[in-house]
């Protein structure tokens, strides 16, 4: 028997496979299915900062006083508002119900763009019993009014504020747009957060060449999307002061093994569950165990980080040499 338990964000997980935040982690029935199929933890579907502000009594005043950066996104939550009477209450109820029903850790998630207007709700998430909170900090470089420093300071402002507000472990899920990504991840890991998820997968718009309409393409990842997160997990593991969760493009047991070899504490998976069903987790975990047996590993720590690039003094120089090696004469 191999031991696939792991510690993540200071929590004990029975396996390194985490159900990533998505529509599949938004209701209790699916959460039960995830637990039954062996995942180590679930990250609930995110609640949006706009949703929290919209449903907080003095929303307008709070927005005006806050550094809320995208007022136009509030309009989105005007739609259907009457259909969902109490999204905040529903979110807290889901946490309470999940905690009552399941034994695996429940990680709540807030998708935010600023540190203002939603911190009191984070406190309510903690009181509802969430074991940890993952913040999907949604900073996009396509805003022409904001400098690089302004964009990156959002991460640090959010983290500084939430760490003063709540005591449960905090992790942050980030995108890979940054001119100095390695240093930024390192500095973030030194703030007191317990984990960083590499990376969020942003929506990439496409368009139809006949109708000239925008389309929603590539909502789900493909196995080929693994390479960016794999590369950065390998570069950053053992260079940070918190756990790393690998997200994007993990579609099978082999990809999970790769991320663990690169140094991830856990892998977060969404698209593969949309494509193959929630019980596909069993297949992925069985493949992980088989690989461990075949390679004579009894536990994850015996191989985690074996393919980390922490011994490379300067990964940037190493990558430039690799680039020259492959492309110079082709
Ligand atoms: C339909 C769908 C909904 C998602 N909703 C959320 C969300 O609410 N919050 C979040 O942090 N990530 C969300 N994600 C992103 C996933 O958690 C994950 O980071 C991303 O899809 C990359 O992992 P994957 O390659 O396994 O899909 C969503 C992904 C999908 C496909």
């Amino acid at each position: 028997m191999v031991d696939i338990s792991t510690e993540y964000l200071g929590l004990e997980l029975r396996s390194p496979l985490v159900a990533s935040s998505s529509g599949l982690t938004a209701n209790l029935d699916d959460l039960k299915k995830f637990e039954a199929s062996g995942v180590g933890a679930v990250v609930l579907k995110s609640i949006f900062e706009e949703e929290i502000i919209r449903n907080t009594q003095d929303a307008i005043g709070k927005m005006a006083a806050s550094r809320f950066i995208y007022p136009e996104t509030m309009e989105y939550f005007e739609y259907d508002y009457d259909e969902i009477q109490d999204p905040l209450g529903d979110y807290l109820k889901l946490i309470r119900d999940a905690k009552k029903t399941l034994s695996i850790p429940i990680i709540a998630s807030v998708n935010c763009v600023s540190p203002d207007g939603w911190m009191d709700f984070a406190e309510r998430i903690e009181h509802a019993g969430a074991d940890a909170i993952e913040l999907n900090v949604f900073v996009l470089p396509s805003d022409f009014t904001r400098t690089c420093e302004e964009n990156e300071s959002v991460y640090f402002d959010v983290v500084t504020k939430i760490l003063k507000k709540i005591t449960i472990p905090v992790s942050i899920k980030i995108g890979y747009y940054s001119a100095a990504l390695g240093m930024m991840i390192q500095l973030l890991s030194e703030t007191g957060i317990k984990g960083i998820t590499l990376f969020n997968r942003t929506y990439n718009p496409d368009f139809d060449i006949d109708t000239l309409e925008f389309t929603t393409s590539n909502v789900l990842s493909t196995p080929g999307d693994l390479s960016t997160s794999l590369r950065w997990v390998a570069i950053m593991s053992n260079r940070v002061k918190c756990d790393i969760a690998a997200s994007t493009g993990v579609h099978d047991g082999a990809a999970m093994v790769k991320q663990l070899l690169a140094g991830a504490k856990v892998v977060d998976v969404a698209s593969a569950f949309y494509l193959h069903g929630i019980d596909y987790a069993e297949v992925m975990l069985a493949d992980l165990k088989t690989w461990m047996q075949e390679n004579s590993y009894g536990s994850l720590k015996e191989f985690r980080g074996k393919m980390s690039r922490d011994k490379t003094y300067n990964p940037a120089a190493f990558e430039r040499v690799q680039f020259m090696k492959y492309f110079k004469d082709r």
Side-chain angles (χ1 to χ4, degrees):
M1 282 297 285
V2 292
D3 175 13
I4 59 165
S5 66
T6 187
E7 197 234 14
Y8 174 57
L9 309 179
L11 307 165
E12 291 301 321
L13 269 57
R14 62 186 174 160
S15 84
L17 179 55
V18 171
S20 205
S21 177
S22 82
L24 296 175
T25 59
N27 68 76
L28 192 59
D29 284 344
D30 284 336
L31 296 180
K32 284 185 200 162
K33 286 184 201 156
F34 273 120
E35 175 162 273
S37 56
V39 301
V42 288
V43 185
L44 300 183
K45 170 99 186 130
S46 302
I47 188 151
F48 286 82
E49 173 177 337
E50 290 87 334
E51 230 172 338
I52 299 172
I53 295 174
R54 175 67 183 81
N55 290 282
T56 307
Q57 270 190 345
D58 56 347
I60 305 294
K62 277 198 171 162
M63 259 181 64
S66 79
R67 283 168 282 173
F68 188 77
I69 53 179
Y70 300 122
E72 46 286 49
T73 61
M74 290 300 291
E75 284 171 27
Y76 176 77
F77 287 102
E78 298 300 325
Y79 300 121
D80 306 339
Y81 180 56
D82 289 340
E83 283 169 31
I84 308 165
Q85 290 301 322
D86 183 14
L88 306 193
D90 289 351
Y91 201 76
L92 299 173
K93 182 172 176 328
L94 179 63
I95 295 171
R96 281 193 298 271
D97 289 348
K99 282 305 296 173
K100 254 186 256 156
T101 319
L102 309 180
S103 54
I104 55 174
I106 306 298
I107 303 172
S109 168
V110 175
N111 183 310
C112 60
V113 291
S114 83
D116 298 310
W118 58 272
M119 286 285 165
D120 290 348
F121 190 69
E123 227 171 8
R124 293 174 69 193
I125 284 176
E126 175 169 40
H127 292 152
D131 294 289
I133 188 165
E134 180 178 272
L135 303 177
N136 185 341
V137 185
F138 206 77
V139 176
L140 290 175
S142 44
D143 185 335
F144 291 94
T145 67
R146 295 172 63 81
T147 65
C148 169
E149 288 75 19
E150 281 171 327
N151 268 347
E152 292 199 346
S153 69
V154 174
Y155 294 117
F156 292 91
D157 293 348
V158 165
V159 161
T160 307
K161 202 159 174 183
I162 197 151
L163 288 174
K164 289 191 185 131
K165 196 80 178 169
I166 61 174
T167 58
I168 52 174
V170 173
S171 74
I172 180 167
K173 183 176 187 178
I174 65 171
Y176 50 79
Y177 292 125
S178 167
L181 188 58
M183 181 185 271
M184 193 187 78
I185 293 172
Q186 220 164 29
L187 291 173
L188 274 172
S189 81
E190 290 164 7
T191 55
I193 57 172
K194 294 279 189 248
I196 299 188
T197 302
L198 307 177
F199 294 103
N200 189 22
R201 186 163 182 275
T202 47
Y203 159 77
N204 290 313
D206 196 355
F207 47 77
D208 186 310
I209 59 169
D210 294 318
T211 64
L212 299 190
E213 282 174 354
F214 285 100
T215 55
T216 47
S217 71
N218 309 322
V219 173
L220 301 182
S221 69
T222 67
D225 290 329
L226 181 75
S227 55
T228 303
S229 65
L230 184 64
R231 170 183 169 212
W232 280 97
V233 170
I235 291 174
M236 296 314 300
S237 60
N238 298 333
R239 283 192 164 95
V240 287
K241 295 204 161 46
C242 68
D243 294 338
I244 292 184
S247 168
T248 298
V250 178
H251 279 246
D252 53 27
M256 173 159 49
V257 169
K258 280 189 181 179
Q259 291 286 21
L260 296 169
L261 281 166
K265 272 286 178 81
V266 296
V267 296
D268 288 4
V269 173
S271 294
F273 296 136
Y274 274 101
L275 292 168
H276 309 296
I278 288 173
D279 52 10
Y280 182 63
E282 288 172 29
V283 178
M284 291 179 72
L285 290 168
D287 288 349
L288 167 65
K289 287 180 191 163
T290 304
W291 178 86
M292 286 172 67
Q293 275 154 358
E294 285 171 359
N295 290 277
S296 307
Y297 293 121
S299 68
L300 300 184
K301 61 176 180 299
E302 289 170 30
F303 69 93
R304 177 183 286 122
K306 268 197 159 183
M307 298 303 286
S308 156
R309 297 255 296 276
D310 59 337
K311 305 290 181 296
T312 311
Y313 171 66
N314 187 343
F318 174 79
E319 288 186 350
R320 181 156 172 77
V321 173
Q322 299 308 307
F323 177 80
M324 290 191 288
K325 197 163 95 188
Y326 289 114
F327 294 104
K328 188 174 156 291
D329 297 322
R330 285 174 204 235

